[in-house]
Amino acid sequence: MMNAGVLLILLVTSANADLYIHNPRGSNNRLAEPGRERNNGNRMFDSQNNDRGGYNVGGLYYYTDSMLQIEWTNQHSCGNRNNHCELIVQYMCHDHLRDGAVTSTIPDNPSNCYDYNCNTDKRFGMHEGFDYYLTCRLRKRNPGLFTADQKLKGESARYTRQNPQGTRRGYECPEERDYYPYWHPTPWVDIAIMTTDATRCQYYQEESQNVKSRWYCKPPNQLLLDNILKSRGVIPITKEECESMTYPEGPNGTSGVWTEVKAHGVPAPLCREAHYSRDNHLGNGLNGFPNVYNWTIPDDFVHERCAIRMRYNISTGEFDGWDGTTNSSLNAEKNNQPTKLDLSDRFGFSTFEEAEERGYVFEGNPQVEIFPPVNGKSFQLQLAVNTAQYGRTFQDRTHSFAIRRRPADLVNQTIHNLNVRGKRGNIVQVYPAVEYDFVPNTLLMRPGEYVHPQWTGSNTNPRNNDGQGLAGTDRNNMVLLVEQVYPEGTGAYHSPYSKNGHWGTNYPMSIKDSTFLGLDREVLINLAINRPNQFRGELSELDDAGTYFDAKPRKVTETGHYHYMCTRNNNFSNRSQKGRIVCINDAVHYQAIGWTGGSITSESSEVVFEQGTLDQLYDFRLEEWETERGEQAIKDVGGESDIPGEMYHSSFIVLYPTDSFTVNDTTFTITIAYEGEPSNLRVFRSSPESFATWTRVGHKMEGGRVMIDTQQGGAYILRGHKSVGAIVGIVIGSVAAVLIIGGIVAYFVMNRDKWNKLKASFSNKV
């Protein structure tokens, strides 16, 4: 246990930004509200976000071990040089977690709840429980933290640099919210950490409560009862203080107990660099794709009441929150005094005093002299600095959802969740939420796998928001688009699979004429009119259909590229709610890997990157093509089809990106399982964009597999010649047969009487 004076050493300090989760639907403290602004920003947690963000409802369910795409937008950058940031994704489940029925903040006085128990009063939304918040409100805050020139109004963990007034939001603990990893027990389980500095990943993973227990001081119950309505730091945060305390004071008092809370008992969170996003932009990330994290839901945990929390920690360049010397010793001593944080080196001054004389100090709204005084006169500029927000933590949390055990017929099957993001209105009306779209917008799968279409929406959107159908309502459906009308492109992108529907069209294909993933006609009708949720009624714009629809997991049996739409949300204001499902035989695997290293695996190959091989985050795609598919790909681009060798010993293993991307002379390893006898086996590589040439690459063999150390992606294939031993055997056998036959002929030529007797013998038998 670290002492309180050094707890700060390796913590994220968090600058001005917003964060919104779009799938699963983030609440931003909103709950079925008809206005554009949320009613209560303090309902369940401190988001620090714009009041217009969030979605009214969001409850769905997901099966264990299925893939869920978490999608979000963050207003300020991450994954670039403009700041230091961490995106921390977590989940929590417990029996009393709920969205609630009112927008009021859950009381912190049990007498204001039914049965004197706020944990079970279902009127109020709740994530963390009352006991968790009570111990936070009464626990001493960490005195080693850098709080700058902020004057905290209390001494408990309820008061932080970002929350100096101690404002309450639900049962959230402000100190736990603002710092990661937190040093006391937390109910949140880590999923992933995305950071600008991957060298911190080992620390994050080792300190995560997923794998490391936490300790806390369990106070005497009487202390909690006597202080249940108070907010003061009376619970110690160190073992020594805990075991030395008694309450009430005196010989009859009860001592505190230093208590261990076991680790969550799940693997350490994934940790890697964050994908790039730019400043002041609540939109898509690099290359026009949304920022996402693909979460494989745990296969050994089920619960009906869960939520995801995502925090966005932004730190500025004025000070290094990871430097152990940036602690409480640098806090301002009095009001209207700057902090003792030395900025001289960062701004080119010789001493702290020189920087202070020119106004280069860390305090609220400093006035700086950007030029030295001239003739006793100076020119000052005032900076808009709020030390409570340099840095700052933002967050969003989803509405509650369920994690369910798979039915027997879905055990060991691959399930892809297909959901809908967004809400009714044009982009201005819904901002900083988003308009409708399918998530994922492009879903890649293989025959025999399952797709699980499921969505929800609200009937209480602002009634003047643009959209089709009944005002204020969300509705969605899925129908295949009609085929391409005008020539467009060569079609090579879809080869060798069929193209079904076309994104450039806006009419649905007739169900009787369409084939959509091999789904039967009844399922296609259900997807179109949200049946069986609704029986008859006005369904031309789905007004009488419900907001929630569940198609159940459906087995996909036919390959092809399928382009589909929502018929309702495709007008000028809510246009192009379209998606694509690509079903192919080839095995395709995706993995984002950066400095920390990692691996990506297919059925017969594995690509491994050691730590330090890469100096940035790359999105890798590993494909495995059967030989016929590989030969067709070469033909499609007019490439070199004459690959050296006579026979294949593997499938085509194709890794994107295909160029060189390792640091300096470092290499990564591609391991490929070979087929058949490995005699004279060779490895060849080509660029799949052109297949212009095939280059032999070095390899070594180990345990039935070929290992290739390389610096670049591309298409790799194992080739060989027919077995030399078999050829030699055939040749020797043939020579022996010739010699035997030749010997027999020579014998009878030299002994004709023997030959005549042999012929006469056969003639008599016939």
Side-chain angles (χ1 to χ4, degrees):
M1 173 68 185
M2 296 182 289
N3 65 58
V6 297
L7 279 173
L8 150 92
I9 291 178
L10 290 177
L11 303 172
V12 176
T13 60
S14 32
N16 190 2
D18 294 355
L19 172 78
Y20 303 95
I21 303 176
H22 303 295
N23 192 70
R25 289 169 177 253
S27 73
N28 194 41
N29 278 313
R30 184 184 292 275
L31 180 68
E33 302 164 28
R36 291 186 186 173
E37 286 77 19
R38 62 188 175 191
N39 291 341
N40 180 7
N42 298 335
R43 188 173 74 91
M44 296 175 69
F45 58 96
D46 181 13
S47 72
Q48 297 281 308
N49 291 339
N50 186 295
D51 284 340
R52 288 193 175 188
Y55 300 91
N56 280 349
V57 297
L60 299 174
Y61 74 93
Y62 307 100
Y63 284 121
T64 56
D65 200 33
S66 65
M67 181 70 74
L68 174 62
Q69 187 168 99
I70 301 172
E71 181 179 319
W72 72 91
T73 52
N74 49 269
Q75 181 177 345
H76 288 267
S77 62
C78 200
N80 68 33
R81 300 176 181 178
N82 289 357
N83 63 29
H84 302 287
C85 85
E86 271 77 21
L87 293 160
I88 301 167
V89 188
Q90 300 168 301
Y91 75 98
M92 174 173 64
C93 304
H94 65 83
D95 292 342
H96 298 303
L97 185 149
R98 58 186 179 267
D99 298 326
V102 298
T103 59
S104 303
T105 304
I106 191 169
D108 60 350
N109 185 345
S111 64
N112 294 326
C113 295
Y114 290 150
D115 300 325
Y116 205 71
N117 188 343
C118 294
N119 285 338
T120 59
D121 192 336
K122 296 182 179 179
R123 293 175 298 169
F124 304 102
M126 189 183 80
H127 285 172
E128 297 93 342
F130 176 77
D131 294 340
Y132 173 82
Y133 175 72
L134 178 61
T135 57
C136 170
R137 190 174 68 186
L138 297 178
R139 185 172 61 242
K140 293 181 179 180
R141 68 179 182 86
N142 182 348
L145 298 174
F146 177 63
T147 58
D149 59 354
Q150 296 297 311
K151 299 304 175 185
L152 278 56
K153 302 302 182 182
E155 293 300 320
S156 77
R158 179 176 171 178
Y159 302 90
T160 67
R161 178 178 52 79
Q162 188 169 319
N163 191 41
Q165 303 297 323
T167 304
R168 183 173 72 87
R169 284 97 171 179
Y171 289 154
E172 179 178 64
C173 181
E175 192 176 63
E176 184 272 342
R177 174 196 173 279
D178 289 354
Y179 295 93
Y180 181 88
Y182 193 51
W183 45 91
H184 280 283
T186 172
W188 293 97
V189 181
D190 296 330
I191 296 174
I193 302 159
M194 292 160 278
T195 175
T196 52
D197 187 353
T199 63
R200 299 172 184 164
C201 281
Q202 181 178 352
Y203 170 76
Y204 281 141
Q205 292 173 321
E206 292 176 350
E207 292 296 318
S208 167
Q209 196 176 334
N210 288 12
V211 297
K212 184 177 181 178
S213 65
R214 294 292 191 270
W215 293 83
Y216 76 102
C217 183
K218 184 177 181 181
N221 287 334
Q222 193 60 43
L223 181 146
L224 296 177
L225 293 173
D226 291 348
N227 292 275
I228 196 168
L229 300 180
K230 300 177 182 179
S231 182
R232 55 182 186 152
V234 295
I235 301 176
I237 62 173
T238 65
K239 179 180 180 181
E240 294 75 20
E241 290 183 15
C242 179
E243 294 177 342
S244 64
M245 76 171 291
T246 56
Y247 188 86
E249 293 184 0
N252 297 322
T254 303
S255 299
V257 179
W258 191 244
T259 305
E260 182 180 19
V261 174
K262 298 294 184 182
H264 293 311
V266 297
L270 177 141
C271 183
R272 58 162 173 78
E273 296 92 336
H275 279 103
Y276 173 90
S277 60
R278 66 183 178 90
D279 294 298
N280 302 318
H281 178 68
L282 276 172
N284 290 337
L286 198 62
N287 299 321
F289 294 103
N291 294 312
V292 300
Y293 177 79
N294 291 316
W295 180 37
T296 300
I297 296 173
D299 62 358
D300 57 352
F301 183 82
V302 295
H303 208 289
E304 284 296 304
R305 299 180 180 274
C306 301
I308 288 174
R309 170 172 79 163
M310 190 169 187
R311 283 180 291 170
Y312 180 31
N313 301 291
I314 300 294
S315 59
T316 70
E318 277 66 41
F319 64 92
D320 184 0
W322 288 83
D323 184 348
T325 63
T326 307
N327 54 37
S328 57
S329 67
L330 302 180
N331 292 336
E333 294 182 353
K334 299 179 181 180
N335 290 333
N336 300 319
Q337 282 191 349
T339 68
K340 301 174 185 177
L341 188 67
D342 189 351
L343 303 180
S344 58
D345 284 344
R346 294 177 182 269
F347 297 103
F349 296 102
S350 301
T351 64
F352 173 80
E353 290 74 19
E354 183 184 357
E356 184 178 27
E357 179 70 22
R358 296 271 295 277
Y360 284 83
V361 292
F362 191 68
E363 65 177 352
N365 301 326
Q367 293 183 339
V368 298
E369 297 178 4
I370 60 174
F371 307 112
V374 178
N375 297 326
K377 297 181 179 181
S378 63
F379 174 73
Q380 294 179 328
L381 293 175
Q382 180 169 307
L383 307 180
V385 173
N386 182 347
T387 58
Q389 300 177 4
Y390 274 56
R392 194 175 181 183
T393 299
F394 295 78
Q395 72 166 317
D396 198 4
R397 301 184 184 185
T398 67
H399 292 278
S400 62
F401 61 88
I403 299 175
R404 293 181 177 174
R405 196 178 311 279
R406 294 176 175 224
D409 61 328
L410 293 177
V411 173
N412 298 324
Q413 302 296 327
T414 298
I415 301 175
H416 301 271
N417 292 295
L418 179 58
N419 307 132
V420 171
R421 73 173 196 186
K423 62 183 180 182
R424 182 189 184 95
N426 62 44
I427 189 60
V428 175
Q429 293 166 337
V430 303
Y431 182 87
V434 295
E435 295 184 75
Y436 300 115
D437 199 2
F438 294 99
V439 180
N441 180 262
T442 295
L443 175 58
L444 183 65
M445 53 191 308
R446 302 176 74 184
E449 297 179 346
Y450 287 75
V451 59
H452 185 186
Q454 183 188 194
W455 53 75
T456 190
S458 172
N459 284 329
T460 57
N461 293 297
R463 295 185 62 82
N464 62 340
N465 276 15
D466 289 344
Q468 296 299 112
L470 187 64
T473 64
D474 295 318
R475 297 291 188 271
N476 297 276
N477 67 351
M478 284 177 63
V479 294
L480 193 67
L481 285 157
V482 296
E483 299 294 355
Q484 179 175 326
V485 177
Y486 301 104
E488 182 179 319
T490 64
Y493 172 80
H494 305 97
S495 177
Y497 300 99
S498 63
K499 177 187 176 185
N500 303 275
H502 183 63
W503 264 347
T505 59
N506 292 284
Y507 279 76
M509 185 179 293
S510 171
I511 289 179
K512 69 177 183 178
D513 299 327
S514 66
T515 173
F516 192 0
L517 303 168
L519 303 177
D520 62 42
R521 186 173 183 271
E522 194 71 15
V523 173
L524 299 183
I525 293 175
N526 293 345
L527 289 170
I529 62 174
N530 289 196
R531 202 175 65 178
N533 299 45
Q534 176 66 27
F535 181 68
R536 299 177 181 167
E538 172 49 52
L539 295 178
S540 62
E541 291 188 303
L542 306 174
D543 285 345
D544 287 347
T547 58
Y548 174 77
F549 175 74
D550 177 22
K552 311 296 184 184
R554 298 294 174 178
K555 188 174 183 178
V556 173
T557 59
E558 294 185 3
T559 61
H561 296 244
Y562 297 89
H563 303 82
Y564 61 92
M565 70 178 295
C566 170
T567 56
R568 191 197 211 217
N569 304 318
N570 197 43
N571 67 8
F572 185 78
S573 293
N574 307 107
R575 55 190 176 277
S576 202
Q577 184 186 347
K578 299 175 181 178
R580 172 173 58 188
I581 298 177
V582 179
C583 183
I584 59 177
N585 293 316
D586 310 317
V588 181
H589 304 269
Y590 293 88
Q591 188 67 51
I593 303 175
W595 179 87
T596 56
S599 63
I600 178 170
T601 305
S602 70
E603 280 72 0
S604 63
S605 68
E606 182 181 29
V607 182
V608 177
F609 297 87
E610 298 295 335
Q611 180 176 295
T613 304
L614 306 172
D615 61 358
Q616 67 182 64
L617 189 69
Y618 288 90
D619 289 311
F620 290 104
R621 184 170 90 245
L622 179 62
E623 301 187 10
E624 189 166 326
W625 302 344
E626 294 296 330
T627 54
E628 295 82 0
R629 165 77 173 89
E631 291 173 349
Q632 182 62 48
I634 296 171
K635 182 178 179 181
D636 288 341
V637 297
E640 176 56 64
S641 59
D642 187 14
I643 309 173
E646 298 176 341
M647 59 188 300
Y648 290 104
H649 282 288
S650 73
S651 302
F652 285 74
I653 305 301
V654 188
L655 178 66
Y656 298 93
T658 62
D659 54 358
S660 298
F661 39 72
T662 60
V663 176
N664 299 324
D665 296 327
T666 59
T667 61
F668 63 95
T669 302
I670 301 177
T671 303
I672 305 174
Y674 59 76
E675 303 168 0
E677 281 293 325
S679 300
N680 295 319
L681 186 148
R682 301 289 185 267
V683 180
F684 296 93
R685 181 205 169 273
S686 186
S687 173
E689 290 82 7
S690 64
F691 288 109
T693 59
W694 287 93
T695 304
R696 181 177 172 181
V697 296
H699 71 280
K700 56 185 177 181
M701 303 179 67
E702 184 177 304
R705 304 176 75 84
V706 167
M707 304 179 70
I708 309 155
D709 292 329
T710 183
Q711 294 182 306
Q712 58 187 150
Y716 290 82
I717 189 69
L718 309 187
R719 295 277 286 175
H721 296 279
K722 295 179 181 179
S723 173
V724 174
I727 295 173
V728 171
I730 293 172
V731 171
I732 293 175
S734 300
V735 171
V738 170
L739 292 175
I740 292 171
I741 294 171
I744 293 173
V745 171
Y747 173 79
F748 283 115
V749 169
M750 297 177 65
N751 299 275
R752 291 188 174 274
D753 56 331
K754 301 289 186 183
W755 172 249
N756 292 330
K757 288 182 179 181
L758 183 61
K759 285 198 301 179
S761 173
F762 275 105
S763 298
N764 293 334
K765 288 181 180 180
V766 174

